[in-house]
Amino acid sequence: MTTTALTTTELEDWLRRAAVLLTDHAAELTELDAAIGDADHGSNMSRGFRAVVEALDAGDFADPAALLKKTGMTLVSTVGGASGPLYGTLFLRLAGATGGAGSLDAAALGEALAAGVQGVADRGKAAPGEKTMLDAWTPALEAFRDAGDDLAAAVAAGAAAAAQGRDDTAPMTATKGRASYLGERSVGHVDPGAASTALLWQALAEAVSGEAGR
């Protein structure tokens, strides 16, 4: 059954499915990171989202804001490298933008995602085109907003754009983060942060469509 607004239940479904996908693709993410980074993105993201699932199992969350805040704090404390602060900031900004609402429709989720993506840009001092996770998050957000008020259609559009954004990082030259030290040698490699971003969007699309049910 397709969801028209995200409650804490659907958000939990999203995060649990994200944990599965990130664990399933951990070796792939690490391989991508080995080419242009520290070779730990897959293990870091898998560990962080497994910790999020443990927090979900142990917690009782009154509203989306409480759930998203706990997610952000957990990621900050368990994901190593640059990804922990960046993904942690993303979810903390998502939490702050929900305004204590009991559910998030397409418009509310779009506002929250915009706040989250801006948080990533601020924390990483990055912009699109620098071969980072923003090159998947930014087109995904734009596609989500352009799709209108149908939550399922908007999320599906965002997931497709995130996947395309991930692929589009391959020909880019990295100018931000550890990969920037490689200069032209970073060309030809997909950015691992963009790849994990696409997996988060895939998980969200599956949660909204009902494919990631508990």
Side-chain angles (χ1 to χ4, degrees):
M1 182 175 178
T2 300
T3 300
T4 57
L6 298 179
T7 66
T8 54
T9 298
E10 286 79 34
L11 289 169
E12 283 198 29
D13 289 343
W14 171 29
L15 296 168
R16 291 177 188 278
R17 181 57 181 158
V20 170
L21 289 176
L22 289 164
T23 297
D24 287 348
H25 292 270
E28 173 189 331
L29 293 172
T30 292
E31 184 177 351
L32 293 175
D33 198 30
I36 59 174
D38 292 326
D40 59 3
H41 189 63
S43 57
N44 283 345
M45 293 298 291
S46 176
R47 179 176 63 250
F49 274 81
R50 288 200 306 270
V52 168
V53 169
E54 292 175 3
L56 297 180
D57 290 341
D60 184 15
F61 304 97
D63 54 32
L67 174 64
L68 294 167
K69 181 178 180 181
K70 181 63 175 179
T71 298
M73 293 173 64
T74 301
L75 293 176
V76 168
S77 64
T78 59
V79 178
S83 298
L86 291 172
Y87 273 111
T89 296
L90 174 83
F91 280 95
L92 290 171
R93 291 286 185 92
L94 283 173
T98 64
S103 64
L104 306 176
D105 60 11
L109 181 59
E111 291 180 9
L113 288 169
V117 172
Q118 186 61 53
V120 171
D122 292 344
R123 186 63 186 258
K125 297 181 174 58
E130 296 179 322
K131 200 181 180 91
T132 72
M133 60 196 289
L134 281 178
D135 291 303
W137 277 107
T138 301
L141 175 61
E142 291 173 353
F144 180 95
R145 287 171 150 176
D146 289 345
D149 295 331
D150 184 318
L151 180 63
V155 170
Q164 185 62 55
R166 170 201 63 207
D167 295 345
D168 288 346
T169 63
M172 293 180 179
T173 300
T175 58
K176 188 67 63 173
R178 185 176 179 82
S180 66
Y181 301 153
L182 298 177
E184 292 298 326
R185 286 180 294 155
S186 66
V187 173
H189 300 285
V190 167
D191 179 71
S196 59
T197 295
L199 290 172
L200 283 185
W201 274 93
Q202 178 184 337
L204 180 58
E206 292 178 6
V208 171
S209 68
E211 296 176 35
R214 298 161 128 188

